[in-house]
């Protein structure tokens, strides 16, 4: 592994030489523009009778050889002085950078709680330190979220696997198992497999959303909503949910698959977390320079301080509501990830009478980073 210490000394040496050269050049300029003109000055001196008050004539001034010799000695003495000053100044300037490097090494070793905290004075290096502190804070939050996500995903995947393992063991251990018993066990195994498949698909959708948008196509949110609602009406009818739509053209740009996933998860969440004879209202419209999608649903009253938690992976307000376990706590997390990937804004309101109103506003018409 290459040591960083010689590299720091090399940088300090180069800076010291640069500063020393500047100091020495300043000394040379003093000789050229100050000492040399003095050699041409003729010093005045009195001549004639001592009692006479008249001033007569001029005498020779400082000789040029003497002046040049003195200047040469001064320049020679200036060399070590300039080097010492250059070394000191370079060391002072590099001290915050060394602190940044040392702390970054400790942080890279796994201690993400450390911060640089350079303090005063405020200059370019301390500004860099504050920027790195912000970066370390975001990295720490990202790593914590990743650990939390992996732990929850492992738990969610392990539960159906354990159920499937137990189901097969019971079926095989029954000596009196007949065709109907084995068929029932296979059907339950298929149901558990379907649960796992849907969970994996949701995890893949979340990972794809967090990766960012690599494809920007022009699309109409109204058409996307129509396609999603066509496949959800049967589910809504079975659960007694009334679907109402107010769709006007709302053109934006983005990844069609990700935006369809956002709409589908919003609608599924509104249907799933509702009550019997409830309603869901979906609206698309263009407002100024934004294309807006709003999904409003009835349902239980949700405390305002719980809203942000619902957009984190595997977070459920009431996991066992109505005895149903068909949700994974990933729907709104996918919505949040797709929103950030498209540089859109997400607004969530808990309705006083129960349920949520969620609005996503996209840039109208084109890629948000393009004119």
């Amino acid at each position: 592994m290459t040591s960083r210490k010689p590299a720091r000394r090399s940088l300090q040496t180069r800076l010291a030489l640069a500063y020393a050269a500047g100091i020495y050049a300043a000394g040379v300029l003093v000789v050229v523009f100050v000492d040399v003109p003095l050699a041409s000055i003729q010093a005045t001196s009195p001549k004639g009778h001592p009692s006479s008050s008249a001033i007569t004539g001029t005498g020779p001034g400082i000789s040029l050889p003497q002046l040049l010799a003195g200047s040469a000695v001064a320049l020679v003495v200036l060399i070590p002085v300039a080097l010492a000053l250059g070394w000191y100044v370079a060391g002072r300037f590099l001290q915050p950078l060394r602190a940044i490097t040392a702390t970054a090494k400790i942080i890279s070793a796994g201690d993400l709680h450390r911060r640089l905290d350079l303090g005063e004075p405020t200059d370019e290096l301390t500004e860099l330190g504050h920027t790195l502190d912000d970066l370390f804070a975001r990295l720490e939050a990202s790593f914590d979220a990743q650990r939390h996500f992996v732990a929850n995903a492992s738990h969610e995947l392990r539960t159906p696997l354990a159920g499937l393992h137990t189901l097969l063991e019971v079926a095989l251990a029954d000596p009196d198992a007949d065709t109907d018993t084995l068929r029932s066990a296979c059907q339950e195994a298929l149901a558990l497999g379907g649960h796992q498949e849907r969970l994996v698909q949701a995890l893949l959708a979340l990972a794809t959303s967090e990766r960012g948008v690599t494809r920007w196509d022009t699309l109409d949110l109204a058409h996307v909503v129509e396609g999603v609602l066509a496949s959800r009406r049967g589910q809504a009818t079975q659960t007694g949910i009334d679907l109402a739509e107010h769709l006007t053209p709302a053109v934006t740009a983005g990844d069609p698959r990700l935006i369809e996933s956002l709409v589908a998860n919003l609608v599924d969440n509104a249907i799933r977390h509702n009550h019997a004879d409830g309603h869901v209202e979906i609206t698309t419209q263009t407002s100024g320079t934004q294309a807006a999608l709003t999904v409003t649903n009835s349902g239980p009253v949700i405390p305002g301080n719980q809203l942000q938690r619902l957009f984190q992976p595997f977070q459920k307000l009431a996991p066992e509501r109505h005895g149903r376990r068909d949700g994974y706590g990933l729907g709104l997390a996918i919505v949040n990830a797709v929103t950030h990937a498209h540089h859109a804004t997400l607004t969530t309101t808990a309705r006083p009478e129960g349920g949520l109103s969620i609005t996503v506003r996209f840039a109208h018409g084109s890629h948000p980073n393009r004119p």
Side-chain angles (χ1 to χ4, degrees):
M1 181 178 178
T2 304
S3 175
R4 301 293 182 185
K5 191 174 181 180
R8 291 201 302 269
R9 287 180 176 175
S10 176
L11 178 58
Q12 184 171 0
T13 301
R14 293 197 299 270
L15 288 175
L17 290 175
Y19 297 146
I23 297 172
Y24 197 78
V28 172
L29 289 176
V30 170
V31 171
V32 172
F33 292 103
V34 178
D35 290 353
V36 172
L38 287 176
S40 62
I41 298 176
Q42 300 296 319
T44 62
S45 59
K47 287 186 179 182
H49 193 275
S51 63
S52 174
S53 60
I55 298 176
T56 61
T58 60
I62 301 173
S63 66
L64 182 59
Q66 290 177 337
L67 193 59
L68 292 179
S71 299
V73 172
L75 290 178
V76 171
V77 174
L78 184 60
I79 292 176
V81 174
L83 288 174
L85 287 175
W87 184 265
Y88 174 77
V89 173
R92 292 287 295 176
F93 281 150
L94 289 177
Q95 185 175 358
L97 187 59
R98 289 172 177 169
I100 291 174
T101 303
T103 308
K105 284 183 178 180
I106 298 175
I107 293 176
S108 64
D111 186 7
L112 293 175
H113 300 284
R114 292 287 299 270
R115 295 293 182 269
L116 298 174
D117 295 327
L118 294 182
E120 300 294 336
T122 301
D123 53 23
E124 288 79 0
L125 287 178
T126 54
E127 185 178 355
L128 173 62
H130 297 328
T131 302
L132 290 176
D133 282 341
D134 293 339
L135 174 61
F136 295 146
R138 291 194 298 271
L139 285 175
E140 181 183 5
S142 177
F143 275 102
D144 289 342
Q146 185 181 36
R147 295 190 197 99
H148 184 69
F149 176 81
V150 170
N152 284 323
S154 300
H155 174 73
E156 292 289 339
L157 287 170
R158 186 170 59 246
T159 300
L161 284 174
L164 180 60
H165 186 267
T166 302
L167 175 65
L168 295 177
E169 279 189 337
V170 170
L172 292 174
D174 185 4
D176 299 325
D178 55 11
T179 303
D180 292 336
T181 303
L182 294 177
R183 185 183 297 276
S184 177
C186 289
Q187 290 175 346
E188 292 185 29
L190 287 175
L192 288 172
H195 177 87
Q196 290 176 283
E197 182 180 1
R198 290 190 296 273
L199 177 57
V200 171
Q201 288 176 347
L203 290 172
L204 288 175
L206 179 59
T208 302
S209 303
E210 292 178 339
R211 184 180 60 191
V213 180
T214 58
R215 173 184 175 185
W216 294 88
D217 294 340
T218 301
L219 53 88
D220 189 347
L221 292 177
H223 293 162
V224 177
V225 171
E226 287 176 353
V228 171
L229 291 181
S231 61
R232 264 64 176 181
R233 293 192 184 279
Q235 177 186 357
T237 301
Q238 292 177 359
T239 54
I241 305 298
D242 177 50
L243 289 180
E245 55 189 87
H246 305 282
L247 306 180
T248 58
V251 179
T252 185
D255 189 320
R257 293 183 298 105
L258 292 181
I259 292 182
E260 181 180 0
S261 175
L262 178 144
V263 175
N265 278 282
L266 281 176
V267 174
D268 288 341
N269 182 79
I271 295 175
R272 181 181 298 118
H273 302 289
N274 214 316
H275 52 65
D277 300 325
H279 68 274
V280 176
E281 182 177 346
I282 304 97
T283 304
T284 61
Q285 61 182 348
T286 299
S287 176
T289 60
Q290 294 180 322
L293 164 68
T294 301
V295 178
T296 303
N297 64 278
S298 57
V301 176
I302 300 176
N305 59 0
Q306 297 292 315
L307 290 180
Q308 293 302 318
R309 185 175 67 85
L310 294 178
F311 289 90
Q312 301 301 317
F314 300 106
Q315 296 297 317
K316 305 175 185 179
L317 188 64
E320 304 294 335
R321 186 165 64 236
H322 306 313
R324 292 157 55 183
R325 299 179 57 89
D326 53 345
Y328 309 105
L330 292 173
L332 293 182
I334 294 173
V335 170
N336 189 43
V338 175
T339 300
H340 284 293
H342 286 81
H343 311 290
T345 58
L346 179 66
T347 305
T348 307
T349 304
R351 304 173 70 235
E353 62 273 25
L356 289 174
S357 178
I358 301 177
T359 300
V360 183
R361 293 181 175 87
F362 296 88
H364 177 61
S366 62
H367 191 307
N369 294 332
R370 294 175 184 168

